[in-house]
Amino acid sequence: MEERNYTKGLLEALLFLSSDPIKLSALAKSCGIEKTEARELLDELILDYQEREGGFLLREIAGGYQFITNQKYSEILSHIFKDKKRETLSRGTLDTLAIIAYKQPITLTELDEIRGVSSRAMVASLMSKKLVKAVGQKEVPGRPTLYGTTNEFLLHFGLSKLTDLPTPVEVKELKFEDFSPESIIVTEETEMNPDFDLDSLPEELKVENANE
């Protein structure tokens, strides 16, 4: 029992010191135990913090494990830590992100067909904020770029995997704005990350952005 408690404490310490989610395999290797034992101890830790109802919780998120602040304190914490990094997304960009999340991998043309308007600026903005990335090319004439979400997307929305997303009846009926976390600010304007290298965008996204 003493050895088990020591290993459980070691897992807790490793997670506490990390600013990013840590994969199960990495945690198990660091503690010198099998993944099955690591998962069992992590499940216990998750329950321990959940029952305690303190300031932070342990969650399986973005393919790993990470401590997060308890949601019930988010409002007051957002006022205390006003400089906390938050992404700014327009409603159109948020709609585009929702479609990509549920329909990925998806091309720009398919996005435009669903939204009924051009999505170039929105996709470029999402790529600049590392919420969306190019995941390949569709095997059709012209080989258009396919887009999908990133681990950063999972982190922002507190998801372990894409299957944790709420199931919509239709993508067009999504009210993704209602699902946006404290890390997302919804505005009227589409913004690019000023530090993003525009040359890294797929060619199909550069045309419109060059004229903006």
Side-chain angles (χ1 to χ4, degrees), residues 42-202:
L42 288 164
D43 286 343
E44 287 183 14
L45 280 170
I46 289 173
L47 187 59
D48 289 346
Y49 281 94
Q50 185 174 313
E51 291 178 344
R52 177 172 170 267
E53 293 188 342
F56 52 97
L57 303 168
L58 179 61
R59 287 285 184 267
E60 188 174 358
I61 182 172
Y65 291 83
Q66 184 178 36
F67 278 115
I68 62 171
T69 53
N70 194 325
Q71 188 67 27
K72 67 180 180 181
Y73 302 114
S74 62
E75 185 174 350
I76 188 168
L77 288 174
S78 66
H79 289 296
I80 295 172
F81 297 98
K82 291 180 180 179
D83 294 332
K84 179 183 177 183
K85 180 185 175 183
R86 297 204 287 174
E87 294 296 355
T88 301
L89 301 180
S90 69
R91 286 174 174 80
T93 305
L94 201 55
D95 289 342
T96 302
L97 178 59
I99 295 169
I100 294 173
Y102 283 92
K103 290 290 191 179
Q104 62 184 304
I106 186 170
T107 66
L108 183 61
T109 299
E110 291 165 343
L111 269 169
D112 291 347
E113 288 175 355
I114 292 173
R115 297 188 65 240
V117 293
S118 173
S119 303
R120 279 191 178 90
M122 286 71 179
V123 176
S125 175
L126 290 167
M127 289 191 72
S128 78
K129 298 173 188 297
K130 299 182 179 180
L131 295 173
V132 163
K133 64 181 179 180
V135 295
Q137 294 177 302
K138 192 167 185 177
E139 294 301 325
V140 296
R143 292 175 56 81
T145 301
L146 289 165
Y147 298 95
T149 53
T150 64
N151 267 352
E152 195 75 18
F153 165 81
L154 295 176
L155 286 170
H156 271 291
F157 288 87
L159 302 170
S160 173
K161 49 191 179 302
L162 288 172
T163 52
D164 291 337
L165 280 167
T167 304
V169 177
E170 287 183 40
V171 172
K172 282 189 176 182
E173 293 179 3
L174 287 176
K175 298 297 180 184
F176 215 49
E177 187 173 335
D178 298 334
F179 185 54
S180 62
E182 291 295 319
S183 60
I184 300 290
I185 303 172
V186 182
T187 66
E188 296 299 328
E189 298 181 0
T190 301
E191 297 181 1
M192 294 286 290
N193 179 349
D195 298 324
F196 182 72
D197 180 9
L198 292 175
D199 289 336
S200 65
L201 287 172

